[in-house]
Amino acid sequence: MRLIARFAKENKNNFEIIDVFDKEVKKHFLDKNNPKIKTLTKKYPAAIWMERKIRDEFGIEFEESFDNRPAIKHERFPKDIYPLRKDFKDKKIEFSKFTPYKYEEISGDSVFTVPVGPIHAGIIEPGHFHFSQAGEEILHLEVRHFYKYRAIEKMMENKNPLEITKIISRISGNESIAYQKAYFNILSKASGFEISENLNKTHAILLEIERIIHHLTDLGFIPNDAGFAAALAYMGKLAEEARRIFKKVTNHRFGFDAIFNNEFDFSSLNNFLDYLKNEIKFFENWIEDIPSVWDRFDTTGRLTKEKAIKYGVVGVGARASGIKIDTRDNDFYKKYGFEIQLGEKGEVADRFRVRIKEIYNSIEIIKNMLDVKKEEFEFSVKDGEYMSFVESSIGELFMYLNIVDGKTDRFYVRDPSHINWQAFHTTIYKDIIADFPLINKSFDLSYAGNDL
Amino acid sequence: MLRFWEKRIKTGIVTENLEFDKEFEEIKKEIKDKIKKHFAGSLAVRMVDSGSCNACEAECNALSNPYYDLERLGIHFVASPRHADILLVSGVMTFNMYHHVWDAYKQMPNPKWVITLGDCAKDLGVFEKTYAIKGIDLPVDYHIPGCPPSPKKIMREFLNFLKTTSIS
Ligand code: SF4
């Protein structure tokens, strides 16, 4: 079984731990006076950040856990509050005394550490990368996040579920459509209506445009990090053109609020996709012929299939390691031309090529769906627990909503990045520190979506 | 490689908004002395994300694509706050980023300016206050609205900042 998420919620008489696997959902109810449960981390290493987050936010202990360090509670975060409990209502907290975070470090003769971030040299999101180095070689890397922790989950509580769509759109900007679609699916389930094929197609088109733009951006930045700047100019141009088309389609360059505004103009899409396909073909031929690029891409940043499975890695990261996992792998998508795109070795080169192949496939899917018509919808939500899955441009996105008395009682979302970040450190052991930006870009994970 | 050059020549220069160049030349004349004295002829911007959704960063990255090519105006992003004239801050300023952002600000040499980028940097935008959000309390000199502001809008606002900001 693959672990998708472990998260907690508070009920009137107990705490509840919800374990979501690909084949089943398990619930555990814990005594409020002494909340504890056995760790999942021995079998599922990606449960580590989930459990550390739950401990910080709910004060639930995990028995036999080997990592009890705080996750969202950084150095100056008060340690004695459990902000996701229902009785915690403060909107303002004071900084507490600085308590150092104990990094995973390797010590020894001539071993040194290189701390990178949270603020980085380029225009990127904040996060901390803690390297233990023996010269150029990386001995160990700890990825530390939650600098951008906004407490989105708490922000969503006690709201009319129909009035939080604007926040949903902006949890992780480059996956906005995926978040909107996941939430739309939840609202429609809660309203008891089945989404029509026509509407699903409409949304799928948007999702594929979002994916194309994300891939185009990466196809520029990955070679750029290997010193091949011409690719960035080429792809930067194409990504900009795609964004402008997205603006024509949704009236917003990132498609924010698009699914709920429900106003689309697909008229320019078909021609653009033909043009794009040619441009990608040119790019592919051109870059395949540049040995210095492949010299950097091949054998770099290898995510082995075993590790990917162990951590439950999703999305491009998993597929590039040859794992058949894609939320779109279903009858609906297949009918419109979806084909899963796989790599072999899980190296930077595989992730790069999977992105190219997925652009071709996304183009085909959109083209087969372009006969969509405008269709209205209306929600009237009923109390209950709802879940949904969507394939974002990064990977499988899981969303959960519990509605009580017409209000949001618990909102949870597991960004694909939350899993993939945790497997990230396994990919760098044969590489030198200078390869790190390249490897990082080849996964291109979201910090905002991870941190919430 | 030949293929590439052929394509390169066929494509030509795609950079738009050439009116900005002219405008910039004029501004330069207007505030030539100021620029020379304070910015050494160009504007160095250090961008810091204090808790954004990441779309504001994406639009800043887009500023370097061939359509905008911001650097041609002498406005460029730098890697260290110690090289910067301007701190460009996006996001809601989280509790966990607070000291890091202030650190970056303190590292900048004087004179220095702070520009906030995007609606949520000003008043949280669509977000609401939570315990994990501090909000930006740096001495802000200028704000660029939008969610996210488009690259063209950011360029226009940079020029406007140069025009309107009084530099003593
Ligand atoms: S202003 Fe809008 S686009 Fe920019 S970071 Fe905030 S939410 Fe994202």
Side-chain angles (χ1 to χ4, degrees):
Chain A
M1 276 201 302
R2 178 170 64 87
L3 177 71
I4 291 168
R6 165 168 256 204
F7 61 101
K9 86 192 236 285
E10 181 175 342
N11 300 329
K12 217 167 170 198
N13 300 318
N14 50 38
F15 288 115
E16 184 176 340
I17 296 275
I18 303 176
D19 294 333
V20 182
F21 295 93
D22 54 348
K23 299 206 169 66
E24 61 174 331
V25 176
K26 281 190 197 160
K27 293 183 169 182
H28 314 267
F29 299 93
L30 317 180
D31 182 2
K32 272 198 175 170
N33 295 320
N34 184 19
K36 59 181 180 201
I37 185 170
K38 231 174 138 182
T39 181
L40 282 181
T41 51
K42 285 186 184 150
K43 190 154 179 213
Y44 301 103
I48 297 177
W49 287 10
M50 298 169 187
E51 292 182 355
R52 286 169 60 191
K53 186 168 146 67
I54 295 172
R55 183 187 300 103
D56 281 358
E57 293 178 332
F58 287 91
I60 295 170
E61 288 303 320
F62 292 88
E63 293 166 313
E64 294 168 44
S65 170
F66 52 86
D67 188 350
N68 290 316
R69 294 171 303 162
I72 62 117
K73 288 178 173 168
H74 280 196
E75 283 86 348
R76 294 180 185 85
F77 202 105
K79 303 288 181 290
D80 53 350
I81 58 169
Y82 300 106
L84 247 63
R85 289 189 179 179
K86 292 287 180 200
D87 63 0
F88 184 88
K89 296 203 167 77
D90 295 351
K91 299 229 188 289
K92 192 171 177 255
I93 52 175
E94 301 299 329
F95 290 109
S96 70
K97 208 177 106 254
F98 185 98
T99 26
Y101 177 79
K102 216 175 157 337
Y103 284 99
E104 293 164 11
E105 278 177 359
I106 292 177
S107 53
D109 255 4
S110 61
V111 175
F112 57 95
T113 54
V114 181
V116 181
I119 299 180
H120 300 275
I123 303 173
I124 2 171
E125 301 181 76
H128 185 89
F129 302 97
H130 207 79
F131 297 91
S132 294
Q133 293 285 132
E136 296 263 328
E137 260 158 64
I138 307 171
L139 295 181
H140 184 63
L141 162 65
E142 178 179 0
V143 178
R144 183 182 181 208
H145 275 314
F146 304 104
Y147 289 90
K148 302 183 74 166
Y149 176 65
R150 294 158 287 177
I152 292 284
E153 292 151 90
K154 190 81 175 186
M155 201 187 287
M156 297 299 207
E157 283 183 12
N158 267 319
K159 298 268 150 54
N160 175 343
L162 303 183
E163 280 168 8
I164 53 173
T165 59
K166 285 206 149 55
I167 305 177
I168 295 277
S169 255
R170 291 158 179 83
I171 294 174
S172 176
N174 55 4
E175 301 170 277
S176 178
I177 296 288
Y179 274 75
Q180 290 175 57
K181 176 60 175 160
Y183 196 61
F184 187 96
N185 289 353
I186 281 180
L187 289 184
S188 63
K189 274 184 204 163
S191 304
F193 77 77
E194 187 131 342
I195 307 173
S196 72
E197 174 128 355
N198 179 61
L199 213 46
N200 268 330
K201 275 160 71 177
T202 310
H203 298 157
I205 294 174
L206 306 178
L207 266 173
E208 295 315 305
I209 305 178
E210 182 170 81
R211 191 178 330 277
I212 287 174
I213 296 176
H214 201 154
H215 285 349
L216 289 173
T217 312
D218 290 338
L219 291 174
F221 275 106
I222 299 168
N224 190 56
D225 274 337
F228 191 60
L232 179 59
Y234 190 95
M235 278 300 161
K237 173 176 171 286
L238 274 186
E240 175 66 24
E241 286 161 356
R243 239 192 230 304
R244 290 177 182 191
I245 291 289
F246 210 17
K247 161 115 195 194
K248 272 199 190 136
V249 173
T250 65
N251 207 19
H252 190 281
R253 282 168 58 91
F254 292 76
F256 284 8
D257 307 320
I259 285 189
F260 297 98
N261 290 344
N262 202 28
E263 292 288 340
F264 308 108
D265 172 6
F266 294 119
S267 59
S268 48
L269 211 44
N270 200 28
N271 285 345
F272 175 73
L273 293 174
D274 289 336
Y275 159 79
L276 181 66
K277 195 169 169 184
N278 279 328
E279 295 294 291
I280 297 291
K281 264 193 197 139
F282 176 88
F283 177 79
E284 195 182 3
N285 285 333
W286 169 41
I287 204 148
E288 283 289 349
D289 262 2
I290 299 185
S292 59
V293 165
W294 299 98
D295 201 38
R296 292 290 307 279
F297 289 5
D298 285 326
T299 72
T300 307
R302 176 147 193 232
L303 175 65
T304 63
K305 202 169 177 174
E306 300 81 69
K307 290 279 188 215
I309 291 171
K310 188 150 195 221
Y311 278 84
V313 172
V314 292
V316 175
R319 294 193 287 275
S321 298
I323 299 169
K324 276 197 178 168
I325 174 171
D326 193 315
T327 318
R328 297 172 297 165
D329 197 0
N330 58 36
D331 291 341
F332 167 72
Y333 269 99
K334 279 186 195 152
K335 194 163 113 194
Y336 295 99
F338 169 79
E339 272 178 51
I340 199 158
Q341 306 299 325
L342 301 174
E344 281 165 31
K345 295 190 202 149
E347 293 164 357
V348 171
D350 296 83
R351 288 185 286 277
F352 187 79
R353 288 199 178 102
V354 164
R355 289 183 195 281
I356 293 181
K357 290 194 279 184
E358 290 198 354
I359 292 180
Y360 288 129
N361 196 223
S362 293
I363 291 175
E364 197 189 325
I365 296 171
I366 300 176
K367 280 182 149 263
N368 291 334
M369 289 180 167
L370 276 176
D371 59 347
V372 288
K373 289 179 208 61
K374 181 157 172 80
E375 184 181 329
E376 303 292 341
F377 51 81
E378 214 177 309
F379 300 118
S380 97
V381 297
K382 290 187 192 62
D383 284 8
E385 267 186 310
Y386 308 97
M387 296 185 184
S388 75
F389 294 88
V390 169
E391 189 72 17
S392 88
S393 48
I394 297 173
E396 172 200 74
L397 178 75
F398 163 73
M399 199 179 273
Y400 168 95
L401 183 70
N402 186 34
I403 308 176
V404 176
D405 297 335
K407 294 253 160 81
T408 50
D409 173 65
R410 177 81 169 102
F411 169 85
Y412 174 81
V413 60
R414 200 277 282 124
D415 193 279
S417 312
H418 195 48
I419 301 264
N420 290 10
W421 272 123
Q422 298 193 64
F424 187 83
H425 72 96
T426 70
T427 69
I428 44 90
Y429 291 110
K430 291 212 170 83
D431 299 303
I432 59 170
I433 192 163
D435 286 321
F436 168 73
L438 178 64
I439 303 171
N440 194 10
K441 207 67 216 176
S442 75
F443 282 99
D444 198 20
L445 304 174
S446 170
Y447 300 58
N450 176 77
D451 296 0
L452 295 179
Chain B
M1 229 28 207
L2 272 182
R3 271 190 309 232
F4 172 73
W5 288 109
E6 191 193 325
K7 181 146 183 104
R8 171 72 190 78
I9 287 159
K10 268 198 203 144
T11 310
I13 292 170
V14 297
T15 308
E16 295 173 340
N17 313 121
L18 298 171
E19 72 274 11
F20 285 159
D21 291 70
K22 232 180 111 213
E23 211 173 303
F24 197 69
E25 278 309 307
E26 274 160 24
I27 298 173
K28 260 192 185 163
K29 262 178 239 145
E30 256 175 58
I31 52 171
K32 204 173 162 197
D33 291 340
K34 287 196 238 173
I35 291 247
K36 227 181 170 173
K37 194 167 159 208
H38 298 291
F39 300 124
S42 69
L43 202 59
V45 182
R46 172 65 249 215
M47 166 142 208
V48 172
D49 166 0
S50 79
S52 78
C53 76
N54 77 29
C56 273
E57 283 64 50
E59 292 298 50
C60 281
N61 275 320
L63 284 168
S64 318
N65 79 39
Y67 280 104
Y68 304 107
D69 190 19
L70 180 70
E71 282 210 25
R72 75 181 197 273
L73 301 180
I75 304 173
H76 58 115
F77 289 97
V78 292
S80 166
R82 295 186 188 168
H83 303 161
D85 305 303
I86 288 175
L87 191 69
L88 182 67
V89 197
S90 65
V92 295
M93 183 86 108
T94 61
F95 196 85
N96 285 344
M97 273 308 283
Y98 186 83
H99 291 91
H100 303 289
V101 177
W102 267 100
D103 263 358
Y105 175 75
K106 285 179 194 150
Q107 297 291 329
M108 290 168 67
N110 276 315
K112 55 187 169 188
W113 292 265
V114 176
I115 299 180
T116 43
L117 180 70
D119 294 347
C120 76
K122 182 166 188 172
D123 56 10
L124 306 190
V126 307
F127 299 106
E128 282 171 26
K129 179 93 178 64
T130 68
Y131 58 89
I133 292 177
K134 287 288 283 181
I136 293 174
D137 62 353
L138 297 159
V140 176
D141 297 285
Y142 195 84
H143 174 66
I144 303 180
C147 184
S150 67
K152 188 173 171 186
K153 167 98 178 155
I154 300 173
M155 279 172 101
R156 159 136 318 285
E157 295 285 351
F158 272 146
L159 295 188
N160 205 38
F161 162 79
L162 283 174
K163 272 191 205 160
T164 55
T165 301
S166 59
I167 300 159
S168 49

